[in-house]
Amino acid sequence: MRHPAVARLLSKNLVLPVALSLLGLSATAQTMAPASSPMGIYGGGAFGIGAHQWDCGSECNRAAFSGKVFGGKRLTPGLAAEINYFVFGTVDSDNDPARTAATGVATERRDVRAVTFGVNWEVELLHGITNHLRVGVARKRTDREVTLASGARADERGYGTAPYVGAALSYQPVRDVRLIAGFDYIIDGRGSNYLFSVGASGEF
C-alpha cells in the first residue's frame, strides 16, 4: 500500500505538467480555429446564363448573358440579410405576319433588371464546402422596345414585385474568399426570370 505522503508528493508533481499541457492544447486549438471576420459583411458578383420565361413571338430568344452583384450582413454565423442586383440580358422577339396582325406588335426587345431583398441561410456540408439557401422578395423593372404593326415605335417601362428564391454551393479556398456556383429564380408567372451563374465573394 502506497504511503499517503508519497501520494501527495506525486499528486503535486503531476499538477504542474498536466496544467501546462492543457494550456498548450488550448493555445493550439485557438491558433487553428478560423477567426471570424470582424465586420461580418460580404460582397461579390456572379455571371452566367439568364433566362426570360416570356410569351415571345414566332422567332425569339429566351436566354442571354446575365449577371448579378450582391452583398450581405451576417446576423448569426449561418444567417445573413442580403441584397442582390440582377441584370438579365436583352432578348428579342419577331412576329410572323399572322401574329403581328393578331397582336399588333411586329418586334419586341426586352430588358429586365431586379433588386432582391432577403436572407441567405448557410449550411456547411463538408470542410470548405457550404450550401446557400436564399429567399426574399424581388422588385423588377422591365423595359420594352416595341415596333407596332403600323411601323411606329414605342418604349415602355413597367415595375413589379415577385417572390425570389436561390440556391448555391460555395468552396472556400482561402480565408474570407469563396468561389460560388448558384441558381436564382424570380417567380413571376410568364414574366419569371432565372440565372445560372458562377462567381466569387469576399468577406470583411
Side-chain angles (χ1 to χ4, degrees):
M1 182 176 179
R2 183 175 294 171
H3 195 276
V6 175
R8 285 195 298 271
L9 182 60
L10 289 174
S11 299
K12 290 180 180 179
N13 290 336
L14 287 173
V15 167
L16 183 60
V18 170
L20 291 175
S21 298
L22 291 174
L23 287 173
L25 288 173
S26 176
T28 302
Q30 290 178 5
T31 301
M32 295 177 63
S36 59
S37 299
M39 298 176 63
I41 297 173
Y42 62 89
F47 303 91
I49 300 299
H52 300 246
Q53 289 184 257
W54 64 320
D55 186 16
C56 58
S58 309
E59 296 183 7
C60 66
N61 60 311
R62 290 186 170 87
F65 181 73
S66 307
K68 70 171 184 174
V69 292
F70 58 91
K73 175 68 173 74
R74 298 202 176 278
L75 308 175
T76 70
L79 185 69
E82 187 176 274
I83 183 171
N84 293 263
Y85 178 67
F86 290 89
V87 176
F88 293 97
T90 302
V91 290
D92 298 284
S93 171
D94 295 316
N95 289 332
D96 58 27
R99 188 178 175 93
T100 298
T103 63
V105 175
T107 66
E108 179 181 346
R109 171 167 289 185
R110 181 173 294 194
D111 177 83
V112 175
R113 302 186 180 208
V115 178
T116 67
F117 304 90
V119 295
N120 170 27
W121 180 40
E122 298 180 356
V123 179
E124 187 171 3
L125 304 178
L126 298 171
H127 182 67
I129 299 178
T130 301
N131 185 34
H132 304 259
L133 299 175
R134 296 179 167 94
V135 63
V137 62
R139 182 64 175 169
K140 293 177 56 178
R141 189 191 82 186
T142 303
D143 292 314
R144 300 174 65 223
E145 297 178 9
V146 177
T147 302
L148 303 177
S150 62
R153 295 176 61 89
D155 294 333
E156 300 177 2
R157 174 170 290 180
Y159 294 90
T161 303
Y164 159 73
V165 295
L169 284 176
S170 70
Y171 172 65
Q172 192 171 16
V174 296
R175 179 187 167 188
D176 298 334
V177 175
R178 292 183 183 274
L179 305 178
I180 305 170
F183 170 75
D184 298 281
Y185 188 22
I186 298 174
I187 308 168
D188 193 21
R190 292 192 175 186
S192 298
N193 299 90
Y194 54 87
L195 172 68
F196 293 95
S197 64
V198 293
S201 69
E203 191 150 351
F204 311 95

